Amino acid sequence: MQIRMHDISKAFGPVRVLEGVAFTLSGGEIHALMGENGAGKSTLMKILCGVHQADAGEIGIDGQKVQIRSTRDAERLGIAIIHQELNLIPQLTVMENMFLGREPRRYGVIDRAKMKRDCLEYLALLGAGQIDPQTEAGLLSIGQQQMVEIAKALSLNAQVLIMDEPTAALTDREIELLFKIMHDLKARGVGIVYVSHRMEEIFQICDKISVLRDGQFVGERNIPETNFDEIVAMMVGREIGERFPGRTVAQGAVRLRVEGLADEGQISGIDFAVHAGEVLGIAGLMGAGRSEILKTLFGINRKSAGLVELEGIPLNIRKPQDAISAGIGFVTEDRKSQGLVLGMSVRENITLTNLHGYANSGVINGGSETQAVNEQIARLKIRTRDAELEVKSLSGGNQQKVVFAKWLEIKPKVLLLDEPTRGVDVGGKAEIYHIINELAAQGVAIVMVSSELPEVLAMSDRILVMHQGRQAGIFNARTATQESIMAAAAGGQ
Amino acid sequence: MTQEQKALLQKLGPFIALLVVCAGLSIASPDFLTMGNLLNVMRQVSINALIAFGMTLVILLGGIDLSVGSILALSSVLTAKLISALGLDPALATMIGILAGALMGAANGVVIAKGKVAPFIATLGTMTILRGLSLVFSEGRPVTGLNSDFFSMLGGGYVANLIPVPVIWMLLLFVVFWFVLKKTVFGRHVYAVGGNEEASRLSGLSVDSVKIWVYTISGAMSAMAGIILTSRLNSAQPTAGTGYELDAIAAVVLGGTSLTGGRGWIFGTLVGALLIGVLNNGLNLLGVSSFYQQVIKGVVILLAVLIDRGGKK
């Protein structure tokens, strides 16, 4: 089956999101769709699966023009989408989710036996037969839930599968399994659209790549005939310079020292020291306890043992407030639910950590607040028309810069970063790296957790590798390789 | 129209609705647009407005306070008892009454913040408890014998022989609330906690204390409304304030404050309370039966919220 989208345009109100975009997908092909946030990838895919209707342009399947007016139409044509935010209903069982709205019936009542049989059959196709059709979907891991969604798509006889950032929340092992399944589906003639920001994955698994920029189609390439730099240049329309800007910082004295740190069950025996001006990376598999180190240091998780010293003085941190008043900031992994108050303005978000600094007996001095905010916006190059704009109207990269600005407000001595470039497009990533480097140059001690190995290797001075809640070792980033880090993370030597 | 102009128009929607209703009523009834009647409406609105000011903070937090009517009743009964049975100075008794209301609100706040009980359930519980206590203390009878000029002035007096004292209370507290929400650290923190509690906590805000303070303020405002009511009736009714929580919530929502928290303003609440008051008054002047009045009020509330929704899409 071949899908050809031709000259697709779409506007939301006055905003033109897509303009004359073309996209072609053949059966048995894994086709990456890339572009910076806001380039129009999601809108294009939502048009393909019937969530939105195009204002102009046509869609053809095997040369036949088709109309896709609803998700039902798309399903009938064999087009299914796996959303980034999974769409299972957590309280229903796996099989109830899989056959939601089209339950097999017998004498008017649901035929549970058949439902279970069919459900298992589709799960088994994916090699996920160990998932019990009668467990509640909410009890499954994210990876397992994704398997269920893919099985559901198969049960709909999908010939085209759209996957939106499918690996964002998966462990490395789950990603491996997902890739194997994608290969199997491809061998069976299913066409897959793969939307992702992770360049390494795209070069590993995809056959072709199409790039969108500002709502326009930039080009299509065969993966073997292109490279990282070309794709990035297509996406941002300019050379972004070095992917990881270099840093030469003379490190200062030990800023943060941690000895024998443990929380209530997930991590133990963590020892490290970070110097002023140093970036300590933390690597490891998902669930190895990387984020837990940061959460324990910041007082979100309870510390059960160990010593934490800031500039030689022991700290007793029991809640985030304690950490903040000691001069520790925390850029959390989940920007939307933990980092920002989305409905508030850029200004209000930036000063949230330090509002008392702009107030006299509780009354805010609007002038000094605005001035400080404008300085931060200029310093971090936050692209917003106005500091009064709601922060949710900004792109992912600029939202993340607002989070950084918020923590700069407390003049941090130590900054904890948890996946600082997640959901940030390529251009934005380079800018975040610049900010990290600049902070290090000013003597901030930085502890950075990241799942992207190239990022950890390039940005860190030293790398602490976690394995199953314990520290597998600390490596010098100059001499470490992806292989040596992975080996340690997997528990080898 | 730009986005900003649209947003502004939408924000002023309730105000425009109020003007339209007022214009309609002044055409329909010659008695409506008189100084005497308008001041009378404001006086009737003041009790609901005071409660709704407190409720605005609660709803900005994403919470709800069902106990306002019961707090009103219990603090009224306590104040009246202090004056009539113990012969306490009325000014002192009033202050103790307001303090008692604040404490009842603080209890709500502690149960919600520290006990992690959903606000709806927590205040449903205290609503019942406090209603019961006001019946216990008053033995189910109105508390009378408040022979005090000072006390009857609080709710029944006039300034310059023209403006009812409760209207002054209402306008004064409107300004205080506006200032607190717009200009103080506390006000900003209310919006932040209501907008994203987790992010607020991780930014070092004392989320629990913000919550406790907000419910405390709501309690104090209910007590104040109770004292005005008691003063006007010259007696405290243990059953007073029944259903007042709904009028207050309606005023807040009519004013454009979001029930999910984080978004709203006190001017909207004042307008919402006035809109409800004007409707009541106008329908009375037009001689509409009180049965139909309820239907009309409900329809107006739904319409207003539906229009608000439509604008947000």
Side-chain angles (χ1 to χ4, degrees), chain A residues 298 300 320-321 324 336-338 340 344 347 351-352 355-356 359 362-364 369 385 390 392 406-407, chain B residues 3-4 179 182-186 188-189 191-192 195-196 198-206 262-263:
Chain A
F298 197 65
I300 300 171
Q321 263 173 341
I324 292 167
K336 289 191 169 130
S337 72
Q338 301 180 316
L340 296 168
M344 282 182 133
R347 169 178 56 89
T351 54
L352 197 56
L355 200 50
H356 282 289
V363 178
I364 301 166
E369 187 193 7
R385 194 155 40 78
E390 280 185 4
K392 70 176 161 208
K406 175 176 110 165
W407 289 114
Chain B
Q3 294 295 108
E4 283 89 17
F179 182 82
K182 193 89 184 168
K183 299 281 176 194
T184 67
V185 173
F186 174 74
R188 182 80 59 82
H189 284 183
Y191 281 104
N196 188 339
E198 174 83 353
S200 299
R201 180 172 289 119
L202 296 183
S203 297
L205 272 58
S206 313
R263 191 180 295 268

Side-chain angles (χ1 to χ4, degrees), chain A residues 140-197:
Chain A
L140 300 178
S141 74
I142 300 289
Q144 288 176 317
Q145 293 188 31
Q146 206 169 47
M147 297 298 151
V148 174
E149 291 240 34
I150 297 173
K152 181 175 179 175
L154 291 184
S155 75
L156 286 161
N157 198 24
Q159 289 301 302
V160 169
L161 203 55
I162 302 163
M163 305 181 100
D164 191 2
E165 296 264 3
T167 56
L170 297 190
T171 66
D172 293 357
R173 187 160 310 166
E174 286 170 329
I175 291 175
E176 221 171 273
L177 184 59
L178 177 72
F179 285 177
K180 192 181 153 300
I181 289 169
M182 286 169 67
H183 268 300
D184 291 349
L185 293 173
K186 174 179 150 179
R188 290 173 42 198
V190 175
I192 299 175
V193 185
Y194 190 77
V195 181
S196 175
H197 281 305

Side-chain angles (χ1 to χ4, degrees), chain A residues 95-149:
Chain A
M95 60 184 199
E96 283 163 346
N97 267 294
M98 192 178 286
F99 294 101
L100 194 62
R102 51 192 180 98
E103 294 81 359
R105 262 169 270 199
R106 216 170 143 208
Y107 311 121
V109 294
I110 294 177
D111 185 349
R112 297 187 68 83
K114 177 170 165 47
M115 198 158 144
K116 187 173 174 186
R117 245 184 356 257
D118 291 355
C119 179
L120 263 179
E121 186 188 324
Y122 290 114
L123 285 172
L125 273 180
L126 300 179
Q130 81 285 1
I131 297 176
D132 178 358
Q134 283 167 301
T135 12
E136 280 183 23
L139 299 177
L140 300 178
S141 74
I142 300 289
Q144 288 176 317
Q145 293 188 31
Q146 206 169 47
M147 297 298 151
V148 174
E149 291 240 34

Side-chain angles (χ1 to χ4, degrees), chain A residues 30-101:
Chain A
I30 303 182
H31 196 135
L33 183 60
M34 281 203 92
E36 296 195 271
N37 290 333
K41 294 168 303 200
S42 310
T43 311
L44 186 66
M45 288 303 109
K46 281 179 180 164
I47 288 172
L48 185 54
C49 69
V51 176
H52 295 317
Q53 275 73 54
D55 298 333
E58 47 188 62
I59 304 175
I61 293 185
D62 295 334
Q64 292 274 316
K65 195 179 160 196
V66 293
Q67 298 287 343
I68 304 177
R69 289 205 185 80
S70 65
T71 48
R72 259 217 182 204
D73 283 354
E75 268 177 22
R76 209 167 27 77
L77 293 166
I79 301 168
I81 186 164
I82 313 286
H83 290 279
Q84 191 176 357
E85 283 92 23
L86 296 173
N87 274 341
L88 299 179
I89 300 169
Q91 296 85 355
L92 294 186
T93 63
V94 168
M95 60 184 199
E96 283 163 346
N97 267 294
M98 192 178 286
F99 294 101
L100 194 62

